[in-house]
Amino acid sequence: MNQDLKQLKTKKLFLLDMDGTLYLDHQLIDGTIPFLDTLKKQNKRGIYVTNNSSKSVIDYVKKLSSLGIDSTEKDFYTSSMATARYLNEFHFGKTVYCMGTASLKEELNSKGIKIAKDKDDFVDVVLIGYDTELTSQKLYDVCWLLKQDLPYIATNPDYVCPVEFGFVPDCGSFADMIYNATKKRPIFIGKPHPRMIEYAIEASGYSKKDAVIIGDRLYTDILSGINANITTICVLSGETTLEDIQQSDIKPDFILDSIQTVYDIIKA
Ligand SMILES: [Mg+2]
C-alpha cells in the first residue's frame, strides 16, 4: 500500500454517497457491509449524504434496512436538512413557499420553518426541491412569486435522478424550466456546494481533517469535497469511469474500484 493510501486509515468521519457507491438500485455493492461493520468496530463514523430532497430520512432508513443495513436518523445528512439549516440561518422566521413533496414540507416544518399554504399567503422566500408530486399549478405559482423578486432557493442542482429504467428530471432540471420562464436562478444548497458538507461535518462534531467523502459522481460528490477542502475518493462502481476522470478538471485525491477497496485499506 502506498503512503498516501495509508492516510485513509487515519480518517474518522466518512461522508458516504449511497446510490452508485454503496448500492446500485436494489443491489448492494460488494464490500459495503464489511466496510460499514469495520467503521463501527474502529469507532469511526459513517454519515450518508444525499442530495435527494424527495424522500425523508425515515424513507432512507427503510431503504437501507431493505438492503440489510441498520441505520438511524442520526446517520444521515440530506439536502432537506441542509436547506432547513440554511433557511433558519439566513431567513429565520420567514414564510416559505415550497415546491416540494409533502415529505420535504413536513421535514422543514419539524425544524420550525413556516410553510405557505399557497402563493397568496404572505410568502417571503421561494424554495424548490426534487418534487416528485409536481403539478403545473405549482410551477405557475413559483413563476408568479418570482415576479416579486423574492429570495429563491433550491435544495439540489442535480439534473437527473437515477431510476430503474434510466433517469428522470431532478431539481436542477426544474430550475431550468423556471429559468426559461422567469430568467431567475436559485441559490442551490446541496452538493457540490461545500455548505452541505460543512453542515454535515459540523453536526458530527468532527473536524475537516478527520473527514473524507466517498462518491461516484465527479460534479457533485467529489466537487463538494474539493470545495469544502476535505479528502475525496471517487469509486468507479457507479456513474464515473477512469476515462471521465482523465478528461475532467475535477480530480479526486484517490480513485478506487469500489467500496470493497476502501474496506481493504481501512481494515488492514
Ligand atoms: Mg451516487
Coordinates of all heavy atoms in Angstrom, one line a residue, residues 126-216:
V126 N -39.0 31.7 -1.8 CA -39.4 30.7 -2.6 C -38.4 29.5 -2.6 O -37.2 29.8 -2.8 CB -39.6 31.2 -4.1 CG1 -40.0 30.1 -5.0 CG2 -40.6 32.3 -4.1
L127 N -38.9 28.3 -2.4 CA -38.0 27.1 -2.4 C -38.5 26.1 -3.4 O -39.7 25.8 -3.4 CB -38.0 26.5 -1.0 CG -37.3 25.2 -0.8 CD1 -35.8 25.3 -1.0 CD2 -37.6 24.5 0.5
I128 N -37.6 25.5 -4.2 CA -37.9 24.4 -5.0 C -37.1 23.2 -4.6 O -35.9 23.3 -4.2 CB -37.8 24.6 -6.5 CG1 -36.4 24.8 -6.9 CG2 -38.7 25.8 -6.9 CD1 -36.2 24.8 -8.5
G129 N -37.7 22.0 -4.7 CA -36.9 20.7 -4.4 C -37.1 19.7 -5.5 O -37.7 20.1 -6.5
Y130 N -36.6 18.5 -5.3 CA -36.9 17.4 -6.2 C -38.3 17.0 -5.9 O -38.6 16.1 -5.1 CB -35.9 16.3 -6.1 CG -36.2 15.1 -6.9 CD1 -36.8 15.2 -8.2 CD2 -35.9 13.8 -6.4 CE1 -37.1 14.1 -8.9 CE2 -36.2 12.7 -7.2 CZ -36.8 12.8 -8.4 OH -37.1 11.7 -9.2
D131 N -39.3 17.7 -6.6 CA -40.7 17.5 -6.3 C -41.3 16.4 -7.2 O -41.7 16.6 -8.3 CB -41.5 18.8 -6.5 CG -42.9 18.7 -6.0 OD1 -43.3 17.7 -5.5 OD2 -43.6 19.8 -6.1
T132 N -41.4 15.2 -6.6 CA -42.0 14.1 -7.3 C -43.5 14.1 -7.3 O -44.2 13.2 -7.8 CB -41.5 12.7 -6.7 OG1 -41.7 12.7 -5.3 CG2 -40.0 12.5 -7.0
E133 N -44.1 15.2 -6.7 CA -45.5 15.4 -6.8 C -45.8 16.7 -7.5 O -46.8 17.4 -7.2 CB -46.0 15.5 -5.3 CG -45.8 14.2 -4.6 CD -45.6 14.4 -3.0 OE1 -45.9 15.5 -2.5 OE2 -45.1 13.4 -2.4
L134 N -44.9 17.1 -8.4 CA -45.0 18.4 -9.2 C -46.3 18.5 -10.0 O -46.7 17.5 -10.6 CB -43.8 18.5 -10.1 CG -43.7 19.8 -10.8 CD1 -43.5 21.0 -9.8 CD2 -42.4 19.8 -11.7
T135 N -46.9 19.7 -10.0 CA -48.1 20.0 -10.8 C -47.8 21.3 -11.6 O -46.9 22.0 -11.2 CB -49.4 20.2 -10.0 OG1 -49.2 21.3 -9.1 CG2 -49.7 19.0 -9.2
S136 N -48.5 21.5 -12.7 CA -48.3 22.7 -13.4 C -48.8 23.9 -12.6 O -48.3 25.0 -12.7 CB -48.9 22.7 -14.8 OG -50.3 22.5 -14.6
Q137 N -49.7 23.7 -11.7 CA -50.1 24.8 -10.8 C -49.0 25.3 -9.9 O -48.8 26.5 -9.7 CB -51.3 24.3 -9.9 CG -51.8 25.4 -8.9 CD -52.5 26.6 -9.7 OE1 -53.3 26.3 -10.6 NE2 -52.1 27.8 -9.4
K138 N -48.2 24.3 -9.4 CA -47.0 24.7 -8.6 C -46.0 25.5 -9.4 O -45.4 26.5 -8.9 CB -46.3 23.5 -8.0 CG -47.1 22.7 -6.9 CD -46.3 21.7 -6.3 CE -47.0 20.7 -5.5 NZ -46.1 19.6 -5.0
L139 N -45.8 25.1 -10.6 CA -44.8 25.9 -11.5 C -45.4 27.3 -11.7 O -44.6 28.2 -11.7 CB -44.6 25.1 -12.8 CG -43.8 23.9 -12.8 CD1 -43.9 23.1 -14.1 CD2 -42.3 24.2 -12.5
Y140 N -46.7 27.4 -11.9 CA -47.3 28.6 -12.2 C -47.1 29.5 -10.9 O -46.7 30.7 -11.0 CB -48.8 28.4 -12.4 CG -49.6 29.6 -12.7 CD1 -50.0 30.0 -14.0 CD2 -50.1 30.4 -11.6 CE1 -50.7 31.1 -14.2 CE2 -50.9 31.5 -11.8 CZ -51.2 31.9 -13.1 OH -52.0 33.0 -13.4
D141 N -47.3 29.0 -9.8 CA -47.2 29.7 -8.5 C -45.8 30.2 -8.3 O -45.6 31.4 -7.9 CB -47.6 28.8 -7.3 CG -49.1 28.5 -7.3 OD1 -49.8 29.1 -8.1 OD2 -49.5 27.7 -6.4
V142 N -44.8 29.4 -8.6 CA -43.4 29.8 -8.4 C -43.1 30.9 -9.4 O -42.5 31.9 -8.9 CB -42.4 28.6 -8.6 CG1 -41.0 29.0 -8.8 CG2 -42.5 27.6 -7.5
C143 N -43.5 30.8 -10.6 CA -43.2 31.9 -11.6 C -43.9 33.2 -11.2 O -43.3 34.3 -11.3 CB -43.6 31.5 -13.0 SG -42.6 30.1 -13.6
W144 N -45.1 33.1 -10.7 CA -45.8 34.3 -10.2 C -45.1 34.9 -9.0 O -44.9 36.1 -9.0 CB -47.2 33.8 -9.8 CG -48.2 35.0 -9.4 CD1 -48.9 35.7 -10.3 CD2 -48.4 35.5 -8.1 NE1 -49.6 36.6 -9.6 CE2 -49.3 36.5 -8.3 CE3 -47.9 35.2 -6.8 CZ2 -49.8 37.3 -7.2 CZ3 -48.4 35.9 -5.8 CH2 -49.3 37.0 -6.0
L145 N -44.6 34.1 -8.1 CA -43.9 34.6 -6.9 C -42.6 35.2 -7.3 O -42.2 36.3 -6.7 CB -43.7 33.5 -5.9 CG -45.0 33.1 -5.1 CD1 -44.7 31.7 -4.4 CD2 -45.4 34.1 -4.1
L146 N -41.9 34.6 -8.2 CA -40.6 35.2 -8.6 C -40.6 36.5 -9.3 O -39.7 37.3 -9.4 CB -39.8 34.1 -9.5 CG -39.3 32.9 -8.7 CD1 -38.6 31.9 -9.6 CD2 -38.4 33.3 -7.5
K147 N -41.8 36.9 -9.8 CA -42.1 38.2 -10.4 C -41.8 39.3 -9.3 O -41.5 40.4 -9.6 CB -43.5 38.3 -10.8 CG -43.8 38.0 -12.3 CD -43.1 39.1 -13.1 CE -43.7 39.4 -14.4 NZ -42.7 39.9 -15.4
Q148 N -41.9 38.9 -8.0 CA -41.8 39.8 -6.9 C -40.4 39.9 -6.3 O -40.2 40.4 -5.2 CB -42.8 39.5 -5.8 CG -44.2 39.4 -6.3 CD -45.1 38.7 -5.2 OE1 -45.1 39.2 -4.1 NE2 -45.8 37.7 -5.6
D149 N -39.5 39.3 -7.0 CA -38.1 39.4 -6.6 C -37.8 38.9 -5.2 O -37.1 39.4 -4.4 CB -37.6 40.9 -6.6 CG -36.6 41.0 -7.8 OD1 -36.0 40.0 -8.2 OD2 -36.4 42.2 -8.2
L150 N -38.5 37.8 -4.8 CA -38.2 37.1 -3.5 C -37.0 36.3 -3.5 O -36.5 35.9 -4.6 CB -39.4 36.2 -3.2 CG -40.8 36.9 -3.0 CD1 -41.9 35.9 -2.8 CD2 -40.8 37.9 -1.9
P151 N -36.3 36.1 -2.4 CA -35.2 35.2 -2.3 C -35.6 33.8 -2.9 O -36.7 33.4 -2.6 CB -34.9 35.1 -0.8 CG -35.5 36.3 -0.2 CD -36.6 36.7 -1.1
Y152 N -34.7 33.2 -3.6 CA -35.1 32.0 -4.4 C -34.0 30.9 -4.1 O -32.9 31.1 -4.4 CB -35.3 32.3 -5.8 CG -35.5 31.2 -6.8 CD1 -36.2 30.1 -6.5 CD2 -35.0 31.4 -8.1 CE1 -36.4 29.1 -7.5 CE2 -35.2 30.4 -9.1 CZ -35.9 29.2 -8.7 OH -36.1 28.3 -9.7
I153 N -34.5 29.8 -3.6 CA -33.5 28.7 -3.1 C -34.0 27.4 -3.7 O -35.1 27.1 -3.9 CB -33.6 28.6 -1.6 CG1 -33.0 29.9 -1.0 CG2 -32.7 27.5 -1.1 CD1 -33.5 30.2 0.4
A154 N -33.0 26.5 -4.0 CA -33.3 25.2 -4.5 C -32.5 24.2 -3.7 O -31.3 24.4 -3.3 CB -32.9 25.0 -6.0
T155 N -33.1 23.0 -3.4 CA -32.4 22.0 -2.5 C -31.2 21.4 -3.1 O -30.2 21.2 -2.4 CB -33.4 20.9 -2.1 OG1 -33.9 20.3 -3.3 CG2 -34.5 21.4 -1.2
N156 N -31.2 21.2 -4.5 CA -30.0 20.5 -5.1 C -30.0 20.7 -6.6 O -31.0 20.9 -7.2 CB -30.1 19.0 -4.8 CG -31.4 18.4 -5.4 OD1 -32.5 18.7 -4.9 ND2 -31.2 17.5 -6.4
P157 N -28.8 20.8 -7.1 CA -28.7 21.2 -8.6 C -28.7 20.0 -9.5 O -28.5 20.2 -10.7 CB -27.3 21.8 -8.6 CG -26.5 21.1 -7.5 CD -27.5 20.7 -6.5
D158 N -28.9 18.7 -9.1 CA -28.8 17.6 -10.0 C -29.8 17.7 -11.1 O -31.0 18.0 -10.9 CB -29.2 16.3 -9.2 CG -28.3 16.1 -8.0 OD1 -28.3 16.9 -7.1 OD2 -27.5 15.1 -8.0
Y159 N -29.4 17.4 -12.3 CA -30.3 17.5 -13.5 C -31.2 16.3 -13.6 O -32.3 16.3 -14.0 CB -29.5 17.6 -14.8 CG -29.0 19.0 -15.0 CD1 -27.7 19.4 -14.9 CD2 -30.0 20.1 -15.2 CE1 -27.3 20.7 -15.1 CE2 -29.6 21.4 -15.4 CZ -28.2 21.7 -15.3 OH -27.8 23.0 -15.5
V160 N -30.7 15.1 -13.2 CA -31.4 13.9 -13.3 C -31.3 13.0 -12.0 O -30.3 13.2 -11.3 CB -31.0 13.0 -14.5 CG1 -31.3 13.7 -15.8 CG2 -29.5 12.7 -14.4
C161 N -32.3 12.2 -11.8 CA -32.3 11.2 -10.7 C -32.3 9.8 -11.3 O -33.2 9.6 -12.2 CB -33.5 11.5 -9.8 SG -33.6 10.4 -8.4
P162 N -31.4 8.9 -10.9 CA -31.5 7.6 -11.5 C -32.7 6.8 -11.0 O -33.1 6.9 -9.8 CB -30.2 6.9 -10.9 CG -29.8 7.7 -9.8 CD -30.4 9.1 -9.9
V163 N -33.4 6.1 -11.9 CA -34.5 5.2 -11.6 C -34.2 3.8 -12.3 O -33.2 3.7 -13.0 CB -35.8 5.8 -12.0 CG1 -36.2 7.0 -11.2 CG2 -35.8 6.2 -13.5
E164 N -35.1 2.9 -12.2 CA -34.9 1.5 -12.7 C -34.5 1.5 -14.2 O -33.7 0.8 -14.6 CB -36.2 0.6 -12.5 CG -36.6 0.4 -11.1 CD -37.3 1.5 -10.5 OE1 -38.2 2.1 -11.2 OE2 -37.0 1.9 -9.4
F165 N -35.2 2.4 -15.0 CA -35.1 2.3 -16.4 C -34.1 3.3 -17.0 O -33.8 3.4 -18.2 CB -36.4 2.5 -17.1 CG -37.1 3.8 -16.8 CD1 -36.7 5.0 -17.5 CD2 -38.0 3.9 -15.8 CE1 -37.3 6.2 -17.2 CE2 -38.6 5.1 -15.5 CZ -38.2 6.3 -16.2
G166 N -33.5 4.2 -16.1 CA -32.6 5.2 -16.6 C -32.6 6.4 -15.7 O -32.3 6.4 -14.5
F167 N -33.2 7.6 -16.2 CA -33.2 8.8 -15.4 C -34.5 9.5 -15.6 O -35.2 9.4 -16.6 CB -32.1 9.7 -15.9 CG -30.7 9.2 -15.7 CD1 -30.0 8.6 -16.8 CD2 -30.1 9.3 -14.5 CE1 -28.8 8.1 -16.6 CE2 -28.8 8.7 -14.3 CZ -28.2 8.1 -15.4
V168 N -34.9 10.3 -14.6 CA -36.0 11.3 -14.7 C -35.5 12.6 -14.2 O -34.5 12.7 -13.6 CB -37.2 10.9 -13.8 CG1 -37.8 9.6 -14.3 CG2 -36.8 10.7 -12.3
P169 N -36.2 13.7 -14.7 CA -35.7 15.1 -14.3 C -35.7 15.3 -12.8 O -36.6 15.0 -12.1 CB -36.7 16.0 -15.0 CG -37.4 15.2 -16.0 CD -37.4 13.8 -15.5
D170 N -34.6 15.9 -12.3 CA -34.5 16.2 -10.9 C -34.5 17.8 -10.7 O -34.8 18.5 -11.7 CB -33.1 15.7 -10.4 CG -33.0 15.5 -8.9 OD1 -33.6 16.3 -8.2 OD2 -32.3 14.6 -8.4
C171 N -34.3 18.2 -9.5 CA -34.5 19.6 -9.2 C -33.7 20.6 -10.1 O -34.3 21.7 -10.4 CB -34.0 19.8 -7.7 SG -34.2 21.5 -7.1
G172 N -32.5 20.3 -10.6 CA -31.8 21.2 -11.5 C -32.5 21.4 -12.8 O -32.5 22.5 -13.4
S173 N -33.2 20.4 -13.2 CA -34.0 20.5 -14.5 C -35.2 21.3 -14.3 O -35.6 22.1 -15.1 CB -34.4 19.1 -15.0 OG -33.3 18.3 -15.3
F174 N -35.8 21.2 -13.1 CA -37.0 22.1 -12.8 C -36.5 23.5 -12.7 O -37.2 24.4 -13.2 CB -37.6 21.7 -11.4 CG -38.1 20.3 -11.3 CD1 -38.3 19.7 -10.0 CD2 -38.5 19.6 -12.4 CE1 -38.8 18.4 -9.9 CE2 -39.0 18.3 -12.3 CZ -39.1 17.7 -11.0
A175 N -35.3 23.7 -12.2 CA -34.8 25.1 -12.1 C -34.6 25.7 -13.5 O -34.9 26.9 -13.7 CB -33.5 25.1 -11.3
D176 N -34.2 24.8 -14.4 CA -34.0 25.3 -15.8 C -35.4 25.7 -16.4 O -35.5 26.7 -17.2 CB -33.3 24.2 -16.7 CG -31.8 24.3 -16.6 OD1 -31.3 25.1 -15.8 OD2 -31.2 23.6 -17.3
M177 N -36.4 24.9 -16.2 CA -37.7 25.2 -16.7 C -38.2 26.5 -16.2 O -38.7 27.4 -17.0 CB -38.8 24.2 -16.2 CG -38.9 22.9 -16.9 SD -40.5 22.2 -16.7 CE -40.4 21.6 -15.0
I178 N -38.0 26.7 -14.9 CA -38.4 28.0 -14.3 C -37.5 29.2 -14.8 O -38.1 30.3 -15.0 CB -38.3 27.9 -12.7 CG1 -39.4 26.9 -12.3 CG2 -38.5 29.2 -12.1 CD1 -39.2 26.3 -10.9
Y179 N -36.3 28.9 -15.1 CA -35.4 29.9 -15.6 C -35.9 30.4 -17.0 O -35.9 31.6 -17.3 CB -33.9 29.4 -15.8 CG -33.0 30.4 -16.5 CD1 -32.5 31.5 -15.8 CD2 -32.7 30.2 -17.8 CE1 -31.7 32.4 -16.4 CE2 -31.9 31.2 -18.5 CZ -31.4 32.3 -17.8 OH -30.7 33.2 -18.4
N180 N -36.3 29.4 -17.8 CA -36.8 29.7 -19.2 C -38.0 30.7 -19.1 O -38.2 31.5 -20.0 CB -37.2 28.4 -19.9 CG -36.0 27.6 -20.3 OD1 -34.9 28.1 -20.4 ND2 -36.2 26.3 -20.5
A181 N -38.8 30.6 -18.0 CA -40.0 31.5 -17.9 C -39.7 32.8 -17.2 O -40.3 33.8 -17.4 CB -41.1 30.7 -17.2
T182 N -38.7 32.7 -16.2 CA -38.5 33.9 -15.4 C -37.1 34.6 -15.5 O -37.0 35.7 -14.9 CB -38.6 33.5 -13.9 OG1 -37.6 32.6 -13.6 CG2 -40.0 32.8 -13.6
K183 N -36.2 33.9 -16.1 CA -34.8 34.3 -16.1 C -34.2 34.5 -14.7 O -33.2 35.2 -14.5 CB -34.6 35.7 -16.9 CG -35.0 35.6 -18.3 CD -34.1 34.8 -19.2 CE -34.6 34.5 -20.6 NZ -34.5 33.1 -21.0
K184 N -34.7 33.7 -13.8 CA -34.2 33.7 -12.4 C -33.5 32.4 -12.1 O -34.1 31.3 -12.5 CB -35.3 34.0 -11.4 CG -36.1 35.3 -11.6 CD -35.7 36.3 -10.6 CE -36.2 37.7 -11.0 NZ -37.5 38.0 -10.5
R185 N -32.4 32.5 -11.4 CA -31.7 31.2 -11.0 C -31.7 31.2 -9.4 O -31.4 32.2 -8.8 CB -30.2 31.3 -11.4 CG -30.0 31.2 -12.9 CD -29.8 29.8 -13.4 NE -29.5 29.8 -14.8 CZ -30.0 28.9 -15.7 NH1 -30.7 27.9 -15.2 NH2 -29.7 28.9 -16.9
P186 N -31.9 30.0 -8.9 CA -31.9 29.9 -7.4 C -30.5 29.8 -6.8 O -29.5 29.5 -7.6 CB -32.6 28.6 -7.2 CG -32.3 27.7 -8.4 CD -32.2 28.7 -9.5
I187 N -30.4 29.9 -5.5 CA -29.2 29.5 -4.8 C -29.4 28.0 -4.5 O -30.4 27.7 -3.9 CB -29.1 30.3 -3.5 CG1 -28.7 31.8 -3.7 CG2 -28.0 29.7 -2.5 CD1 -28.8 32.6 -2.5
F188 N -28.4 27.2 -4.9 CA -28.5 25.8 -4.7 C -27.8 25.4 -3.4 O -26.7 25.9 -3.1 CB -27.9 25.0 -5.9 CG -28.6 25.0 -7.1 CD1 -28.2 25.8 -8.2 CD2 -29.8 24.3 -7.3 CE1 -28.9 25.9 -9.4 CE2 -30.5 24.3 -8.5 CZ -30.1 25.1 -9.5
I189 N -28.5 24.5 -2.6 CA -28.0 24.2 -1.3 C -27.1 22.9 -1.3 O -26.1 22.8 -0.7 CB -29.1 23.9 -0.3 CG1 -30.0 25.2 -0.3 CG2 -28.6 23.6 1.1 CD1 -29.4 26.4 0.4
G190 N -27.5 21.8 -2.0 CA -26.8 20.5 -1.9 C -25.5 20.5 -2.6 O -24.9 21.5 -3.0
K191 N -24.9 19.3 -2.6 CA -23.6 19.1 -3.3 C -23.8 19.6 -4.8 O -24.8 19.4 -5.3 CB -23.3 17.6 -3.4 CG -23.2 16.9 -2.1 CD -22.9 15.4 -2.3 CE -24.1 14.5 -2.5 NZ -23.9 13.0 -2.5
P192 N -22.8 20.3 -5.4 CA -21.4 20.4 -5.0 C -21.1 21.6 -4.1 O -19.9 21.8 -3.8 CB -20.7 20.6 -6.3 CG -21.6 21.4 -7.1 CD -23.0 20.9 -6.7
H193 N -22.1 22.3 -3.7 CA -21.8 23.4 -2.8 C -21.2 22.9 -1.5 O -21.7 21.9 -1.0 CB -23.1 24.3 -2.5 CG -22.8 25.6 -2.0 ND1 -22.3 25.9 -0.8 CD2 -22.8 26.8 -2.7 CE1 -22.0 27.2 -0.7 NE2 -22.3 27.8 -1.8
P194 N -20.1 23.5 -1.0 CA -19.5 23.0 0.2 C -20.4 23.1 1.5 O -20.1 22.5 2.5 CB -18.2 23.8 0.4 CG -18.5 25.1 -0.4 CD -19.4 24.7 -1.5
R195 N -21.4 24.0 1.4 CA -22.2 24.3 2.5 C -22.8 23.0 3.2 O -22.7 22.8 4.4 CB -23.4 25.1 2.0 CG -24.2 25.8 3.1 CD -25.3 26.6 2.5 NE -24.8 27.9 2.0 CZ -25.0 28.3 0.7 NH1 -25.6 27.6 -0.2 NH2 -24.6 29.5 0.3
M196 N -23.3 22.1 2.3 CA -23.9 20.9 2.9 C -22.9 20.0 3.6 O -23.2 19.4 4.6 CB -24.6 20.1 1.7 CG -25.2 18.9 2.2 SD -26.5 18.3 1.0 CE -26.3 16.6 1.1
I197 N -21.7 19.9 3.0 CA -20.7 19.1 3.5 C -20.2 19.7 4.9 O -20.0 19.0 5.9 CB -19.5 19.0 2.5 CG1 -19.9 18.3 1.2 CG2 -18.3 18.3 3.1 CD1 -20.5 17.0 1.4
E198 N -20.1 21.0 4.9 CA -19.6 21.7 6.1 C -20.7 21.6 7.2 O -20.3 21.3 8.4 CB -19.3 23.2 5.8 CG -18.0 23.3 5.1 CD -17.8 24.6 4.3 OE1 -18.7 25.4 4.3 OE2 -16.6 24.8 3.8
Y199 N -21.9 21.7 6.9 CA -23.0 21.5 7.9 C -22.9 20.1 8.4 O -23.1 19.9 9.6 CB -24.4 21.7 7.2 CG -24.8 23.1 6.9 CD1 -26.0 23.3 6.2 CD2 -24.1 24.2 7.4 CE1 -26.4 24.6 5.9 CE2 -24.5 25.5 7.1 CZ -25.7 25.7 6.3 OH -26.1 27.0 6.0
A200 N -22.7 19.1 7.5 CA -22.7 17.7 8.0 C -21.5 17.4 8.9 O -21.7 16.7 9.9 CB -22.6 16.7 6.8
I201 N -20.4 18.0 8.6 CA -19.2 17.8 9.4 C -19.4 18.5 10.8 O -19.2 17.9 11.8 CB -17.9 18.4 8.7 CG1 -17.6 17.6 7.5 CG2 -16.7 18.4 9.7 CD1 -16.5 18.1 6.6
E202 N -20.0 19.7 10.7 CA -20.2 20.4 11.9 C -21.2 19.7 12.9 O -21.0 19.5 14.1 CB -20.9 21.8 11.6 CG -21.0 22.8 12.7 CD -21.9 23.9 12.2 OE1 -21.4 24.7 11.3 OE2 -23.0 24.1 12.6
A203 N -22.3 19.1 12.2 CA -23.3 18.4 13.0 C -22.6 17.1 13.7 O -23.1 16.6 14.7 CB -24.5 18.0 12.2
S204 N -21.6 16.6 13.0 CA -21.0 15.3 13.5 C -20.0 15.6 14.7 O -19.7 14.7 15.4 CB -20.2 14.6 12.4 OG -19.0 15.3 12.1
G205 N -19.5 16.8 14.8 CA -18.6 17.1 15.9 C -17.1 16.9 15.5 O -16.2 17.1 16.3
Y206 N -16.9 16.3 14.3 CA -15.5 16.1 13.8 C -15.0 17.3 13.1 O -15.7 18.3 12.9 CB -15.5 14.9 12.9 CG -15.7 13.6 13.6 CD1 -16.9 13.0 13.7 CD2 -14.6 12.9 14.1 CE1 -17.1 11.8 14.3 CE2 -14.8 11.7 14.8 CZ -16.0 11.1 14.8 OH -16.2 9.9 15.5
S207 N -13.7 17.3 12.8 CA -13.1 18.4 12.0 C -12.8 18.0 10.6 O -12.9 16.8 10.3 CB -11.8 18.9 12.7 OG -10.9 17.9 12.6
K208 N -12.6 19.0 9.7 CA -12.4 18.7 8.3 C -11.2 17.7 8.1 O -11.3 16.9 7.2 CB -12.1 20.0 7.6 CG -13.4 20.8 7.3 CD -13.1 21.9 6.3 CE -14.4 22.7 6.0 NZ -14.2 23.7 5.0
K209 N -10.2 17.8 8.9 CA -9.0 17.0 8.6 C -9.3 15.5 8.9 O -8.7 14.6 8.4 CB -7.8 17.4 9.3 CG -7.8 17.3 10.8 CD -6.5 17.5 11.4 CE -6.4 17.5 12.9 NZ -7.4 16.5 13.6
D210 N -10.4 15.3 9.7 CA -10.8 13.9 10.0 C -11.7 13.3 8.9 O -11.9 12.1 8.9 CB -11.6 13.8 11.3 CG -10.8 14.2 12.5 OD1 -9.6 13.9 12.6 OD2 -11.4 14.9 13.4
A211 N -12.1 14.2 8.0 CA -13.2 13.8 7.1 C -12.8 13.4 5.7 O -11.8 13.9 5.2 CB -14.2 14.9 7.0
V212 N -13.5 12.4 5.1 CA -13.3 12.0 3.7 C -14.6 11.8 3.1 O -15.6 11.3 3.8 CB -12.4 10.8 3.6 CG1 -12.9 9.6 4.5 CG2 -12.2 10.3 2.2
I213 N -14.8 12.2 1.9 CA -16.1 11.9 1.2 C -15.8 10.9 0.1 O -14.8 10.9 -0.6 CB -16.7 13.2 0.6 CG1 -18.1 12.9 0.0 CG2 -15.8 13.9 -0.5 CD1 -19.0 14.1 -0.3
I214 N -16.8 9.9 0.1 CA -16.7 8.8 -0.9 C -17.9 8.9 -1.8 O -19.0 8.8 -1.3 CB -16.6 7.4 -0.3 CG1 -15.5 7.4 0.8 CG2 -16.3 6.4 -1.3 CD1 -15.3 6.1 1.6
G215 N -17.7 9.0 -3.1 CA -18.9 9.1 -4.0 C -18.5 8.7 -5.4 O -17.3 8.5 -5.8
D216 N -19.5 8.6 -6.3 CA -19.3 8.1 -7.7 C -19.5 9.2 -8.7 O -19.4 8.9 -9.9 CB -20.2 6.9 -8.0 CG -21.7 7.3 -8.1 OD1 -22.2 8.0 -7.2 OD2 -22.3 6.9 -9.1

